[in-house]
């Protein structure tokens, strides 16, 4: 059939002969085979799909479930643009809206089949090896890269839902609608993927508002590349928040010293649905492959991970932005320090912090916000062998509206770091995170660095500044935010007016002016030219990274790190 329609596209005059040959073939089929061909293989003439659908709606010929597969010129796949795709969707919805009796019993699902993983930095959940129905030989068949899905219905909640769905979720939803079982969905996929029911509120109806759309336009199928803009920029996420559907997940993660000189990570799922998590080694481990866990509702998993010479750095990732990062030194002054942040399951949104100091010396920690809120930082002192607890409200826009992203550091060990990020899920309606909003923050890819490794620094500013730069100093200790008077050990000028970026700040051996005793402003203006001195790598010790303006004033809180 692909060749059949391709030939007719090139030469419409072939249609009488092709139609006669098609009829002869169709007459040889059984009734069941003929129905499959008519419903699954025959195509509408290009540009007539909407009108055919409109006729079926008007005459009451729609079945309980209709599948609409767009022709290539209307499907938005390369090299086709999005204009005809939006015109097709608009036409189908308009046909439904013209008949309220049909619209009032309709769920319209707009589901994209793939996006090649473009711009998607989140690896999809993967079934455990050998999961029945999920492997072809040694290769798993899903899940795939994230794709958009839009549900249009009188009962749609009109909100963003971050529950885990896949294409089989449409089928499990139709099982509930039609009562017809789909036998080809594996138990693993049924356990991990929702059935779309959380997207509906059947106790209310909403007014149908159909936005305007541009009409179809002729598009070339030659495959000739379209001209590119002279100045290209990465796309930016739209700012603002949207209504958010509550999710069935309640995740928690904690880290403790484990057997054989390693650490034990424990992940709890107090929710009502199974959840998929992955643990990524950020440093020190010989194998950087993530370890994956499927955690059933109301259960926990614990797993031992190695610490190389006592050093560890692991991040737990879960759905809806959940993150817990644990980094430190089991032989350092904070070896006995354990930090846990637990999100409330009901009532006002809040985090409950527990700071356990199993060491022989008192420890002071600082909790600082990386996003969503501008208060703090908070300093908590924990006596030797003691435990301190704090509740942190997260309700209200000023406190993040349920979203949180916080880092914990310790005064006595620049290599200790705990980062917690996610949403306080209480089952109540909320708002999506405005991650595109500007936040003042400075983050390093690590807190512990092997000798010879450069820093990867992420910075963000709420307001653009004309000139700014990064500067590395010897660590004065404690949580002071003032700029040291000691010499700048490393520096990097940043782009004027750039408010967000991720850059490499060299701390290994490099060409640079001799900065000993040089005023800060002079360091930034000194050009790297031939015959300048070479700076050796930073020696073992603790250091401080500052983000400064042209006058040497701090723009955000500094970040400490340790070179091993």
């Amino acid at each position: 059939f692909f060749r059949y329609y391709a030939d007719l596209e090139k030469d419409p005059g072939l249609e009488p002969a092709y139609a006669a040959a098609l009829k002869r073939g169709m007459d040889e089929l059984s009734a069941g085979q003929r129905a499959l061909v008519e419903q699954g293989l025959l195509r509408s003439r290009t540009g007539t799909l909407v009108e055919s659908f409109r006729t079926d709606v008007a005459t009451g010929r729609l079945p309980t479930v209709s599948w609409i597969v767009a022709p290539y010129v209307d499907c938005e796949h390369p090299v086709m643009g999005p204009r005809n795709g939006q015109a097709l969707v608009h036409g189908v919805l308009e046909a439904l809206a013209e008949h309220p009796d049909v619209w009032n019993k309709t769920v319209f699902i707009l589901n994209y089949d793939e996006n090649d993983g473009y711009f998607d930095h989140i690896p999809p959940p993967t079934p455990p090896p050998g999961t029945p129905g999920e492997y072809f030989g040694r290769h798993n068949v899903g899940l795939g890269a994230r794709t958009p899905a839009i549900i249009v219905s009188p009962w749609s909640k009109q909100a963003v839902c971050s529950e885990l769905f896949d294409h089989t979720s449409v089928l499990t939803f139709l099982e509930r609608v039609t009562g017809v079982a789909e036998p080809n969905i594996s138990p693993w996929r049924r356990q991990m993927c929702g059935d779309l029911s959380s997207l509906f509120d059947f106790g209310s109806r909403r007014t149908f508002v159909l936005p305007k759309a541009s009409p179809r336009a002729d598009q070339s199928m030659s495959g000739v590349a379209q001209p590119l803009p002279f100045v290209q920029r990465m796309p930016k996420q739209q700012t603002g928040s949207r209504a958010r559907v509550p999710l069935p997940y309640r995740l928690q993660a904690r880290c403790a010293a484990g057997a054989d000189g390693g650490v034990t990570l424990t992940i709890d799922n107090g929710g009502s649905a199974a959840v998929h998590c992955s643990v990524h080694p950020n440093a020190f481990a010989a194998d950087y492959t993530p370890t994956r866990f499927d955690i059933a509702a109301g259960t926990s998993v614990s797993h031992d991970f190695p610490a190389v010479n006592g050093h560890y750095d692991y991040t737990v990732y879960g759905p809806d932005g959940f993150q817990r990062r644990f980094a430190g030194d089991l032989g350092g002054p904070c070896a006995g320090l354990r930090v846990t942040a637990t999100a409330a399951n009901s009532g006002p949104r809040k985090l409950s912090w527990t700071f356990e100091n199993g060491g022989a010396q008192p420890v002071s920690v600082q909790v600082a916000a990386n996003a969503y809120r501008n208060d703090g930082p908070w300093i908590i002192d924990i006596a030797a062998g003691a435990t301190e607890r704090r509740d942190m409200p997260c309700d209200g826009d000023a406190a993040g509206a349920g979203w949180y992203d916080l880092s914990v550091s310790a005064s006595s060990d620049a290599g200790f770091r705990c980062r917690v990020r996610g949403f306080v899920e209480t089952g109540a309606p909320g708002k999506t995170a405005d991650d595109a909003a500007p936040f003042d923050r400075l983050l390093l890819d690590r807190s512990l660095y092997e000798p010879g490794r450069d820093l990867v620094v992420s910075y963000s500013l709420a307001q653009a500044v004309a000139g700014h730069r990064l500067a590395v100093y010897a660590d004065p200790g404690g949580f002071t935010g003032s700029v040291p008077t000691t010499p700048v050990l490393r520096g990097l000028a940043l782009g004027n007016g750039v408010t967000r970026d991720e850059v490499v700040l060299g701390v290994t051996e490099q060409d640079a002016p001799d900065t000993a005793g040089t005023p800060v402003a002079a360091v930034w203006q000194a050009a790297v030219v031939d015959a300048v001195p070479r700076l050796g790598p930073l020696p073992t010790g603790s250091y401080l990274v500052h983000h400064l303006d042209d006058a040497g004033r701090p723009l955000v809180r500094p970040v400490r790190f340790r070179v091993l």
Side-chain angles (χ1 to χ4, degrees), residues 23 181 204 236:
K23 182 181 184 306
S204 64
K236 292 183 178 180

Side-chain angles (χ1 to χ4, degrees), residues 81 139 151 215 365 457:
H139 303 284
I151 311 296
V365 299
V457 185

Side-chain angles (χ1 to χ4, degrees), residues 260-323:
D260 300 324
V263 294
T264 300
L265 296 185
T266 301
I267 309 172
D268 308 312
N269 177 17
S272 59
V275 67
H276 181 90
C277 290
S278 60
V279 178
H280 290 244
N282 305 305
F284 310 118
D287 183 2
Y288 285 83
T289 302
T291 305
R292 300 173 179 270
F293 301 98
D294 296 329
I295 311 170
T299 64
S300 301
V301 297
S302 292
H303 191 82
D304 293 330
F305 292 90
V308 178
N309 297 322
H311 307 132
Y312 63 93
D313 189 341
Y314 294 96
T315 300
V316 182
Y317 293 100
D320 203 29
F322 178 86
Q323 180 185 139

